[in-house]
Amino acid sequence: MASVIRIRQLCKQYGAGEQQVKALRGVDLDIQQGEFVAVMGPSGSGKSTFMNLIGCLDSPSSGQIILQGEDVSQLSANALATVRNNYLGFVFQQFNLLARTSALENVMLPLLYSMLPDEQHKHRALTCLEQVGLAQRLWHMPSQLSGGQQQRVAIARALVNEPALLLADEPTGALDTQTGLEIMQIFQALNRQGKTLVLVTHEPDIAAFASRILMFRDGQLVSDQQQTPEDASDALLAFKQGAAS
Amino acid sequence: MTNRKLLMGAWNNLSVNLMRSILTMLGIIIGVASVIIMLALGNGAKRQVDEQIRNLGGNVFVVFGGSFNSAGVRGQAGSLQRLTDADADAIEHNISAVVAAAPELRSNVQVISGNLNWATNVIGSDNRLLVAQNWTLSDGREFSAAELGRGAKVALIGETLRRELFGAGEAIGQTIRVNKLPVTVIGVLGAKGQSARGDDQDDVLIMPLDTVRKKISGINRANPKAIRSITVKVATQQDMPWVEEEMTRLLSQRLKSAGNDIPFRIRNLSEIVETRMQAMQVFNSLLAGVAAVSLLVGGIGIMNIMLVSVTERTREIGLRMAVGAKPGDILRQFLVESVLLCGVGGAIGIVIAALTCLVLAQGFAMAAVLQWQVAILSLGFSAVIGIFFGYYPARQAAGLQPIDALRYE
Ligand SMILES: Nc1ncnc2c1ncn2[C@@H]1O[C@H](COP(=O)(O)OP(=O)(O)O)[C@@H](O)[C@H]1O
Ligand SMILES: [Mg+2]
């Protein structure tokens, strides 16, 4: 299987001198196509820093990130924008939808900066909204949607440019348990269709749906385990029954 | 990202914050409108002056009799009545570029026709005055040689006089009383309108020189042939300087000055008007300058709001970058917004200026001439302001690291 991303001696420091924080201290890692990776670790262990680096939202202090065979660790701002647009989809804890902008337009946003011809934008966005079960809410504004629905729009937006790697930093962090499970159901379905996923969580219940678990502590990768994922649909059903009784 | 989408996105964003957009544009609207109005007023005034110069006939000197100057007390120009008819003839005959030199006497008179009366100035002269002052006849005829020779009781009247005395009735052939002297109207002068000083040029009554001299103003015993002034029309603008020199020499010979007396004065009427116009233009440029400053202040207002907008939308910028927007895309987005703000503001300013000019012209009879070049120029100028004052905030936005923008609280 091909590596979607290869990471070598990845380091990131914030600040300088006395106040310097070593957020990542030499991480080595390969992620294969089709994997569903959960990143865990205590707060402040460098999970978000790691995600931002592989998501090309920030540049490393040292080390290499090789995404789809291309070294992206030293690229210019413009080249990084293109990489993000072509290969990456990012889902945030706080959804980060554009206010006063419809669900459909939010989903089409990445296509605005892509080479895809204008005529195909709407169709693409519609397909992605269907995938997350929101085909009925195209013209709703974010303020008219529930948290779970907003996160689904955000997932559709991350999918719309057909990225090689889907990244999510605590996507269920702002949601209640049931909605979180629904979101995980979507992620798991995407993974089963072949999407490569990296997802940060500090909840073991959420990490259980992944096929591989990375543990961070003090900016270092301290454990890397494969596992058999639990089924999110089963978990959701069980949760609903538990809530009902 | 296509230009159309860029423009639509900017438009959406501005209409979402409608009130703020309008308030921001207000500076540009006022700036552009006032610049255009000031220039239109200046332009209108210039046209008025041009018209006055044209009415004046251009290339005209007026030679006044000199003033006495005894023991440091200087009299009024013309107080020394030493100019005579012969001086006018001499100027006309001896200086080739002089088209006409008309002698003039003036007197305040009361004109009566039936039960209507009117106070005005009578000018005693001859047909040369019509040439020198650019008069046309709208009705009737000029003086005949015989009438001039014998000092006949005939008159040419201006349009104002005709209207006041005869209204819709026929003027030619009517008898009017000029200070009790019965005089026959033989011609009506074509209308000229206001002079550069703002007085009514059509309030005029012209009679033969000798008639005025003998029957109205009375003969000056010291100098029976005395006149008040000579209006001299010169062929072309280029001839003016040397004609003035030549006249000075000629008149100096003819009118020997006694002691400190200044025997004559030559005034260039178009020069007077032009000086006035220059002063007016300076004043207008000053006003336009003030207006331009207000435009500048408007531009700074745009910059301020764009900076606020960048700060407010930092997370949005971060998100756009996260999904693939290049710094250039962000730069263009904010630049287009700022140019759109200024462009729409400028367009509204032009409309307001046009309406104001219309109101000024129709309601207040002020000369405000709107030039479409100025309108287009100011629209372009406001777009430039948009680019200039939008660039800094836009670059500020484009220079953000995606992650810093996303994390911004
Ligand atoms: N922008 C930043 N400036 C300075 N320090 C930072 C910044 N971002 C993160 N850190 C520090 O880096 C370390 C790792 O942070 P982070 O990656 O956010 O951890 P996690 O997501 O695992 O909670 C923490 O000590 C945090 O304080
Ligand atoms: Mg974090």
Side-chain angles (χ1 to χ4, degrees), chain B residues 51-58 60 100 127-137 189-192 201 231 233:
Chain B
E51 185 139 326
Q52 285 162 1
I53 290 177
R54 210 167 338 108
N55 276 339
L56 206 66
V60 172
N127 293 327
R128 286 178 292 183
L129 188 70
L130 306 185
V131 179
Q133 290 189 344
N134 231 28
W135 288 108
T136 55
L137 282 172
L189 301 167
K192 270 193 183 184
Q201 298 182 91
T231 301
K233 181 162 177 82

Side-chain angles (χ1 to χ4, degrees), chain B residues 29 32-33 36-37 344-358 370 375:
Chain B
I29 293 174
V32 165
I36 295 179
I37 292 169
V344 171
I348 296 176
I350 289 173
V351 171
I352 289 180
L355 291 177
T356 309
C357 286
L358 207 69
L370 189 72

